[in-house]
Amino acid sequence: MTIWHDIDTYAKKWITEAGERIRTSFKEELTIQSKSNADDLVTNMDKETEQYFISKINETFPAHKILGEEGFGNQLESLEGVIWIIDPIDGTMNFVHQQRNFAISVGVFENGVGKLGYIYDVVHDELYHAIQGEGAFLNEMRIPNLNETALTEAVIGINATWVTENKRINPSVLGPLVKDVRGTRSYGSAALEIAYVVTGRLDAYITMRLSAWDFAAGMVLIEEVGGKLTTLEGNEINLLEENSILVAKNNIHQEILTKYIRK
Ligand code: IPD
Ligand code: CA
Ligand code: CA
């Protein structure tokens, strides 16, 4: 058993326990606050869940570092060592409004290399998980490698924001892509949308501004099924900054870059 199998056992246990706690919170009253703007929500459960992971990790693996969305972890300036990258609830708006379509997302990296990835769909009790080099799984089921799909038959995850007036991309760039594909979907949880690309439910997912905690777990998972995750320009991700994201099966990734982005 490698050190990663050992860490994997703990990670799964903590994620399952945190999920149980979140499910029981549905009966309780939430404290909801907004962060950077009125649509950027945080609840007591986001904070409590992050603190739960931090106390478990600190107790069990004191040398490991933690990058958490709610800021209870470490302030990181480098990717050296073992780093847990945690989004305690990805899709907080869905958590508050719908009590579904949100996930716990946990990635574990060593010196910038993805080793372990977990996306837990709490309501459906579905854990997408991977250890680098050992394949990706949905609960006990191995997720098969991704096949090619024609762009005209592709269903892509994209938020309408990016094809209407916005601060980050000219809407005329992605408008033609939206027209050419079979359909578009928007679920409101980046982690789940990446998990859907991993399982082939979506053929691609595009967004303009994510932080490491939104996609760290997804990076590990997509690698295991032969897909690709880069910036929208096709560049390597920087985990210490915000990034645009293009995650897709290989042929769709290539086609989106050549036909719509680099044309
Ligand atoms: C958000 C969700 C959303 C994405 C945002 C993220 P949060 O994460 O993943 O789908 O469009 O960019 O910030 O705030 O719910 O953890
Ligand atoms: Ca998030
Ligand atoms: Ca979050």
Side-chain angles (χ1 to χ4, degrees):
M1 193 149 122
T2 67
I3 170 201
W4 300 111
H5 288 97
D6 197 25
I7 299 172
D8 175 66
T9 307
Y10 282 103
K12 283 179 177 149
K13 182 171 180 285
W14 298 336
I15 289 165
T16 310
E17 284 171 5
E20 267 168 30
R21 171 70 192 107
I22 292 173
R23 284 190 297 268
T24 61
S25 80
F26 289 156
K27 297 188 226 93
E28 301 161 10
E29 202 176 320
L30 282 176
T31 311
I32 306 165
Q33 295 168 305
S34 40
K35 296 194 280 186
S36 58
N37 61 64
D39 303 334
D40 186 10
L41 305 178
V42 62
T43 74
N44 55 308
M45 283 314 297
D46 298 67
K47 295 181 187 175
E48 191 184 301
T49 305
E50 182 164 311
Q51 283 165 328
Y52 169 79
F53 280 111
I54 290 174
S55 72
K56 293 291 182 188
I57 296 162
N58 283 340
E59 191 181 293
T60 318
F61 302 109
H64 292 186
K65 290 181 261 184
I66 303 156
L67 177 62
E69 173 170 20
E70 306 312 335
F72 298 109
N74 306 102
Q75 297 300 322
L76 296 185
E77 267 150 38
S78 93
L79 295 174
E80 235 169 82
V82 177
I83 302 176
W84 293 65
I85 305 178
I86 301 175
D87 194 336
I89 298 183
D90 181 64
T92 298
M93 199 189 290
N94 289 344
F95 172 62
V96 169
H97 285 257
Q98 309 177 330
Q99 288 83 51
R100 65 190 65 209
N101 296 322
F102 65 90
I104 297 173
S105 179
V106 178
V108 186
F109 281 62
E110 183 185 41
N111 301 323
V113 178
K115 295 291 181 182
L116 306 171
Y118 309 89
I119 297 172
Y120 185 43
D121 181 335
V122 172
V123 170
H124 294 111
D125 189 24
E126 287 179 334
L127 179 64
Y128 303 83
H129 57 103
I131 299 178
Q132 184 197 34
E134 298 187 12
F137 293 81
L138 169 46
N139 290 339
E140 300 314 314
M141 189 197 75
R142 173 92 188 234
I143 304 171
N145 267 26
L146 296 172
N147 296 323
E148 287 202 354
T149 302
L151 193 79
T152 49
E153 291 173 12
V155 179
I156 63 167
I158 187 167
N159 190 305
T161 309
W162 312 126
V163 289
T164 50
E165 205 178 313
N166 72 84
K167 284 192 223 133
R168 297 188 181 264
I169 188 168
N170 185 326
S172 68
V173 175
L174 294 171
L177 170 67
V178 167
K179 240 185 188 166
D180 291 350
V181 293
R182 178 171 275 173
T184 58
R185 298 289 183 270
S186 179
Y187 297 95
S189 157
L192 280 182
E193 291 178 284
I194 300 172
Y196 292 172
V197 177
V198 169
T199 47
R201 294 174 198 153
L202 288 174
D203 299 292
Y205 168 61
I206 293 172
T207 191
M208 292 312 297
R209 196 193 57 152
L210 290 185
S211 299
W213 43 79
D214 300 308
F215 57 75
M219 276 176 88
V220 180
L221 283 153
I222 195 74
E223 190 77 26
E224 293 303 313
V225 293
K228 231 171 164 182
L229 188 152
T230 64
T231 68
L232 187 59
E233 293 75 37
N235 299 325
E236 212 177 296
I237 296 295
N238 180 344
L239 286 163
L240 296 173
E241 284 176 4
E242 288 183 335
N243 295 261
S244 61
I245 295 287
L246 166 58
V247 53
K249 43 182 66 169
N250 278 333
N251 77 297
I252 298 281
H253 189 277
Q254 189 57 42
E255 240 177 291
I256 291 177
L257 281 182
T258 51
K259 283 197 189 152
Y260 303 92
I261 309 298
R262 295 178 178 157
K263 65 174 176 34

